[in-house]
Amino acid sequence: MVGAADTPVEQITKQLHKLINVLKIQDLDPAESIDRELVLFKVNAAPERRHEIIEIANVFRAKIIDVGRNSVTIEATGASDKLQAMEDLFRAYGIKELARTGKIALARGSRDG
């Protein structure tokens, strides 16, 4: 997903078509589309503070996908601002690793009718 406020959509489309893995480009109206992001956080988690990190994940409806001796890995999806808020909270504990997909989007409703 690319915002095109300052750059003409045609120029962005031409650049994207040069990429090998691009199959289709579609111009979506933000009001008529749904977008999400995926992020994986590996957070420092000493045993005595682990419950705090798990509570934060629960508040954001994220999943605990791995628990190590001194870390917890969390998977979360949602809007960019939600994921940024989680990142800000986890920074207080120390983020060991972070991987973020960037936005993906689809048009709302049915396309066949």
Side-chain angles (χ1 to χ4, degrees):
M1 184 167 166
V2 176
D6 296 331
T7 308
V9 173
E10 181 181 334
Q11 183 179 359
I12 294 170
T13 301
K14 287 179 183 178
Q15 293 297 319
L16 288 171
H17 275 298
K18 291 179 183 179
L19 300 173
I20 294 170
N21 294 329
V22 173
L23 302 177
K24 182 178 179 181
I25 299 168
Q26 186 175 0
D27 187 13
L28 297 173
D29 179 351
E32 297 177 12
S33 62
I34 302 165
D35 66 75
R36 294 289 184 269
E37 254 186 278
L38 167 69
V39 65
L40 297 175
F41 298 101
K42 185 182 286 185
V43 181
N44 289 322
E48 64 274 4
R49 301 204 63 200
R50 188 169 290 158
H51 70 281
E52 298 170 24
I53 295 164
I54 292 170
E55 281 300 315
I56 292 169
N58 288 338
V59 166
F60 285 94
R61 295 190 180 125
K63 292 181 187 176
I64 305 298
I65 58 172
D66 187 56
V67 177
R69 186 172 280 178
N70 293 308
S71 67
V72 174
T73 303
I74 300 136
E75 171 190 315
T77 59
S80 298
D81 56 345
K82 168 189 165 180
L83 301 179
Q84 188 60 53
M86 286 183 70
E87 182 178 336
D88 293 343
L89 289 170
F90 288 145
R91 286 216 181 276
Y93 297 92
I95 296 174
K96 288 183 167 190
E97 292 183 66
L98 180 138
R100 201 164 173 168
T101 62
K103 286 185 183 181
I104 58 170
L106 288 173
R108 289 185 179 273
S110 175
R111 287 264 176 192
D112 48 75

